[in-house]
Amino acid sequence: MTLGAAAIIKPKYEGSNEHEVIPIPIIIPKFTENPNDDSAVTAVRKRVKFRGLDDIRIRVLGSERFQIGAVTGYITKRDQDDGDLLKGLGDIDGGLVLGAYSAFTFGAFTFDAAVMEKVTGDDAGPEFRLGIETSRQITERVSLGIRVGTTIASEDYMQTYFGVTAAQSGRSRAGLPVYTPDGGVKDVFVAVGSTVDLNDRWLLKAGARYGRLLGDAADSPVIETKDQVSGTIGLGYRFSWWR
């Protein structure tokens, strides 16, 4: 089993120039030291990919070449105290994310498309995410993955997170004007992730993501910066019940 802890560093809200840290545990069970382990637990572990707090993918059908699966995750709450531009606008509840995805691998590249929507808390409408990724084993102990993509947001989503209603404008302490964005391309992004086996026991995982808000999202009066940088870092320790 590998046990450890990780931290997600992300903007306080989409468009924020301040960051928050969210701790998460690392728990990776394994019931044999055989590298060809095909146990049920190993099979489940290989089906799950963590792309972010709001984008955890679980392969349901298919193989490594073509797959269809479910998306889950969590969108954190946006508090009106998260930034000066938000004061008076009210809070937006966090909530559980559900959705579906499909992916196709051609050569060294995997192309994928996903639809996801927050299903609890304040209704926000769906998002659609498209991406291309590739990975490589750099050395025996170091692997590296690179992913680029874009997010298309529905009109409801854009209004919830980037819009300003007449009522909100009247309450805004920053004097924000009424703003009604359309649905469309919300951002483009590039992400890099790496796993490093420091030794036979210690495992390091790290990743960084840069996103750029576009279109009506970038023009929103609630935005402090269009540049969105986030990252993850985690350290795990492998141990055996039999040692």
Side-chain angles (χ1 to χ4, degrees):
M1 177 176 286
T2 300
L3 293 178
I8 298 174
I9 303 97
K10 59 180 283 294
K12 285 188 173 182
Y13 69 92
E14 289 187 283
S16 174
N17 60 11
E18 297 183 75
H19 289 75
E20 62 182 352
V21 178
I22 301 175
I24 59 172
I26 296 176
I27 304 173
I28 307 174
K30 189 175 183 181
F31 293 122
T32 175
E33 295 185 2
N34 180 355
N36 297 317
D37 174 24
D38 60 354
S39 68
V41 171
T42 299
V44 170
R45 190 177 72 236
K46 289 180 178 179
R47 288 174 177 266
V48 178
K49 283 194 175 182
F50 182 88
R51 300 195 185 282
L53 190 61
D54 66 339
D55 192 351
I56 302 171
R57 303 192 181 188
I58 306 167
R59 175 161 53 91
V60 177
L61 298 172
S63 62
E64 294 299 325
R65 181 170 294 276
F66 177 75
Q67 54 187 267
I68 298 174
V71 179
T72 188
Y74 189 83
I75 292 180
T76 56
K77 177 182 178 180
R78 193 184 83 176
D79 193 288
Q80 64 177 350
D81 292 327
D82 286 341
D84 291 339
L85 295 178
L86 301 181
K87 294 185 183 299
L89 302 187
D91 301 336
I92 301 175
D93 292 339
L96 174 69
V97 173
L98 291 178
Y101 81 95
S102 64
F104 176 76
T105 300
F106 183 77
F109 297 91
T110 298
F111 305 82
D112 64 79
V115 56
M116 57 196 72
E117 183 172 0
K118 186 174 68 171
V119 296
T120 62
D122 296 322
D123 184 30
E127 291 184 282
F128 306 89
R129 192 161 291 161
L130 308 175
I132 305 171
E133 68 177 40
T134 187
S135 60
R136 182 178 293 273
Q137 195 71 34
I138 305 300
T139 69
E140 184 180 350
R141 291 184 176 272
V142 179
S143 62
L144 180 69
I146 300 175
R147 174 176 171 80
V148 296
T150 185
T151 307
I152 301 169
S154 66
E155 185 174 340
D156 287 342
Y157 183 95
M158 295 286 278
Q159 180 61 45
T160 299
Y161 288 99
F162 299 101
V164 180
T165 65
Q168 288 175 320
S169 177
R171 299 193 305 264
S172 172
R173 297 183 187 177
L176 300 186
V178 173
Y179 185 71
T180 306
D182 293 324
V185 176
K186 183 186 77 173
D187 65 20
V188 292
F189 61 85
V190 58
V192 179
S194 181
T195 299
V196 181
D197 290 320
L198 300 175
N199 54 41
D200 292 340
R201 291 295 187 181
W202 289 98
L203 172 74
L204 175 69
K205 284 183 171 288
R209 183 184 189 275
Y210 169 76
R212 175 78 173 181
L213 294 174
L214 300 175
D216 284 5
D219 294 336
S220 170
V222 307
I223 296 305
E224 295 175 335
T225 177
K226 301 174 185 179
D227 300 310
Q228 301 290 279
V229 179
S230 59
T232 59
I233 187 166
L235 188 65
Y237 181 78
R238 299 187 186 95
F239 69 92
S240 172
W241 300 107
W242 299 277
R243 293 183 184 178

